[in-house]
Amino acid sequence: MKAYVSLGQDAVVRADDVVAVLDIRTLRSSPLNGPLLDRLEGAGGGAAGPCRSVVVTRTRAVACSLSVEAVRRRLETLGRGTAAPGLR
């Protein structure tokens, strides 16, 4: 059975496809991430309101208004959470 996780505001991704959930502050701290952030902003990204995280899947990156912790909890609820020990 395929499980999907809601990222809020019509953004939904397949839970099995999630590769990483990144804090937007970490991404913005390095100029090397500029092209990714520009692409997310240009495509609308998916976030309505302030972007707090970026969910990276096998095929795309989605800007998300949820925190990294909130996305992690949603994935764990579905039994798909494989969070690093520091995030638990």
Side-chain angles (χ1 to χ4, degrees):
M1 182 170 95
K2 296 178 184 176
Y4 293 85
V5 61
S6 171
L7 303 177
Q9 301 296 328
D10 298 332
V12 177
V13 295
R14 187 171 167 197
D16 288 340
D17 289 345
V18 174
V19 175
V21 182
L22 309 170
D23 189 297
I24 193 69
R25 293 172 296 184
T26 303
L27 290 174
R28 286 186 176 142
S29 69
S30 171
L32 296 175
N33 296 320
L36 171 64
L37 296 173
D38 291 343
R39 205 170 319 136
L40 282 170
E41 290 172 5
C51 177
R52 297 177 68 192
S53 63
V54 174
V55 177
V56 180
T57 71
R58 294 177 190 182
T59 59
R60 63 187 177 136
V62 181
C64 180
S65 59
L66 299 174
S67 68
V68 171
E69 181 68 21
V71 175
R72 182 190 63 81
R73 280 194 309 265
R74 289 182 183 201
L75 288 167
E76 283 185 347
T77 299
L78 295 171
R80 303 291 195 268
T82 55
L87 292 176
R88 292 176 190 223

